[in-house]
């Protein structure tokens, strides 16, 4: 399971599943937090990706939520200094790409709006869309307040 951990420089934390050796690093944001660049890191290398961030109203509760959608997976813009090191990732097939995207979904949910997904004020505060399905922390067995 993922959790938020400090990095060596203590500047920007990362989301980590240390047991699986997978880490999510937030790299840069676009205009007014509408797009963001992340890198999923594992022993097999890095996978850069870009998301959009939308604010939606949850139909079940009426609460405002943040919804991430993938814009690109396996590539991301490298114009900013924190993203210059990125290398595009090619996948063997769609199954491999979907496998890694599902891991990225879980990591994004723990990331939340700014490394706060597990401390969200209510369920479904952060959501991620993948293949037309909306995922929440509960889909991966997490509970709010979990450390």
């Amino acid at each position: 399971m993922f959790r938020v951990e400090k990095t060596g420089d203590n500047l920007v934390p990362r989301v980590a599943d240390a047991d699986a050796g997978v880490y999510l690093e937030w790299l840069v944001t676009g205009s007014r937090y509408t797009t963001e660049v992340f890198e999923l890191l594992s022993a097999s290398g890095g996978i850069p990706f870009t998301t959009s961030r939308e604010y939606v109203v949850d139909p079940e509760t009426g609460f405002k939520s943040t919804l991430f959608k993938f814009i690109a997976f396996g590539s991301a813009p490298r114009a900013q200094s924190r993203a210059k090191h990125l290398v595009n990732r090619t996948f063997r097939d769609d199954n491999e790409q979907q496998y890694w995207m599902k891991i990225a979904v879980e990591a994004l949910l723990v990331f939340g709006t700014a490394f706060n997904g597990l401390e969200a004020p209510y369920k479904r505060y952060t959501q991620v869309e993948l293949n037309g399905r909306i995922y929440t922390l509960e889909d991966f067995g997490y509970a709010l307040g979990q450390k």
Side-chain angles (χ1 to χ4, degrees):
M1 294 186 94
F2 283 98
R3 64 181 181 80
V4 176
E5 69 176 23
K6 294 184 181 213
T7 56
D9 62 13
N10 273 337
L11 295 176
V12 179
R14 66 181 179 181
V15 175
D17 182 340
D19 294 334
V22 179
Y23 306 90
L24 177 73
E25 292 187 345
W26 174 84
L27 298 176
V28 68
T29 185
S31 61
R32 298 180 184 234
Y33 291 98
T34 57
T35 61
E36 293 175 83
V37 176
F38 295 90
E39 186 173 26
L40 194 62
L41 301 163
S42 71
S44 64
I47 302 172
F49 63 94
T50 305
T51 64
S52 66
R53 182 190 286 219
E54 299 174 16
Y55 299 98
V56 298
V57 176
D58 187 302
E60 294 177 17
T61 63
F63 292 133
K64 292 181 180 177
S65 300
T66 300
L67 175 65
F68 286 99
K69 294 182 179 180
F70 291 100
I71 296 171
F73 195 81
S75 64
R78 292 180 282 283
Q80 305 237 354
S81 62
R82 286 192 43 87
K84 286 185 178 183
H85 69 283
L86 295 177
V87 175
N88 288 347
R89 172 77 174 257
T90 304
F91 300 96
R92 288 185 306 267
D93 54 33
D94 190 51
N95 288 336
E96 180 189 24
Q97 182 176 5
Q98 290 299 310
Y99 170 82
W100 286 109
M101 289 181 87
K102 190 90 177 263
I103 291 172
V105 166
E106 181 182 355
L108 281 170
L109 291 167
V110 173
F111 173 78
T113 57
F115 302 102
N116 61 356
L118 297 176
E119 299 165 3
Y122 49 85
K123 293 178 184 180
R124 301 181 62 86
Y125 184 75
T126 305
Q127 304 172 29
V128 180
E129 181 180 306
L130 176 62
N131 301 324
R133 179 176 172 192
I134 305 294
Y135 289 89
T136 67
L137 285 168
E138 293 170 309
D139 293 311
F140 294 92
Y142 292 88
L144 293 181
Q146 182 176 334
K147 294 281 179 183

